[in-house]
Amino acid sequence: MFKAELIERAAKFRSAADDPTRTLESCPALVLNADYTPLSYYPLSLWPWQTAIKAVFLERVDIVASYDRAVHSQSLDMKVPSVIALRQYVKTSEFPAFTRFNLFLRDKFSCQYCGSQQHLTYDHVIPRRQGGKTTWENIATACAPCNMKKGGRTPKQAGMHLVRPIRPTSWQLQQHGKAFPPNYLHETWRDWLYWDIELEE
């Protein structure tokens, strides 16, 4: 699933008016760091309702907002948290894992040769048979036609333009991730998320 489809699926916040009838499985908690920023944007930092409630009782988080949906026991009635904040700040890793998805996210789900968002794969800039490594700096997102056209040559040998790939920081990937919101956004999360697309009311 690529950019256009992600944005199309994510363009609406789910209304809190549906909370009383919402299944508990549809009540994840948005997890904020102690500085009230999401632990991650992509994937969005979400915990199942059970984990969120357990963290509340262990005094590891503060409840910032709740669903209107409640859980009950013999000694407790509690609204399900929709936004929680960690009490202790978690330092994130400076560099993200080198994965296929993170590579596509770094390259904004676009072929780095022609800009296409269709039939994406990845390309060794310096081909392996010429000593190219499988590293951030030598892998670029490419559509299948450009990958075939380039073949076992360097971009220069193939007459194709490419900006040199970089090893992204986690912050850079987070910034790119804001352009690709997930398909679940509850309206109580609105103040804590700053997506780069206009979302419908």
Side-chain angles (χ1 to χ4, degrees):
M1 182 172 299
F2 300 110
K3 183 176 179 179
E5 295 165 283
L6 283 168
I7 290 174
E8 188 176 323
R9 287 184 59 189
K12 292 182 182 175
F13 278 99
R14 295 191 183 179
S15 171
D18 298 329
D19 284 357
T21 58
R22 192 181 306 278
T23 65
L24 286 172
E25 289 69 32
S26 298
C27 295
L30 173 65
V31 185
L32 307 177
N33 213 334
D35 63 356
Y36 283 68
T37 60
L39 278 180
S40 70
Y41 278 95
Y42 222 103
L44 189 59
S45 47
L46 300 177
W47 284 358
W49 67 273
Q50 303 98 316
T51 305
I53 289 176
K54 182 177 178 181
V56 169
F57 281 101
L58 293 174
E59 298 184 351
R60 294 178 180 162
V61 299
D62 292 317
I63 299 173
V64 177
S66 297
Y67 293 98
D68 285 333
R69 180 79 161 82
V71 290
H72 312 281
S73 71
Q74 290 182 343
S75 59
L76 172 76
D77 287 328
M78 179 181 181
K79 285 191 174 182
V80 177
S82 62
V83 182
I84 55 178
L86 300 179
R87 291 190 174 181
Q88 289 193 327
Y89 183 79
V90 174
K91 189 175 188 297
T92 55
S93 173
E94 182 180 358
F95 295 103
F98 181 49
T99 66
R100 185 184 181 98
F101 181 83
N102 283 343
L103 171 71
F104 287 170
L105 186 57
R106 178 199 69 183
D107 295 340
K108 299 181 180 179
F109 296 92
S110 299
C111 174
Q112 298 302 286
Y113 296 105
C114 73
S116 172
Q117 296 179 344
Q118 303 297 318
H119 310 294
L120 296 181
T121 182
Y122 62 89
D123 173 62
H124 285 78
V125 179
I126 299 172
R128 283 180 288 188
R129 70 180 183 193
Q130 294 185 31
K133 308 285 188 198
T134 304
T135 63
W136 281 112
E137 297 84 356
N138 194 51
I139 298 286
T141 301
C143 66
C146 283
N147 209 347
M148 292 286 290
K149 177 183 173 185
K150 179 176 171 287
R153 301 172 292 176
T154 66
K156 185 175 180 179
Q157 290 167 341
M160 299 169 72
H161 176 72
L162 173 72
V163 176
R164 192 77 183 166
I166 61 162
R167 179 186 186 192
T169 63
S170 294
W171 182 85
Q172 288 169 321
L173 278 198
Q174 296 286 22
Q175 295 308 304
H176 289 194
K178 291 179 185 182
F180 304 95
N183 63 1
Y184 181 94
L185 297 169
H186 190 261
E187 69 178 42
T188 57
W189 304 354
R190 190 184 300 263
D191 292 339
W192 314 105
L193 301 175
Y194 302 97
W195 304 107
D196 292 341
I197 63 168
E198 185 176 341
L199 298 172
E200 296 175 8
E201 293 294 328

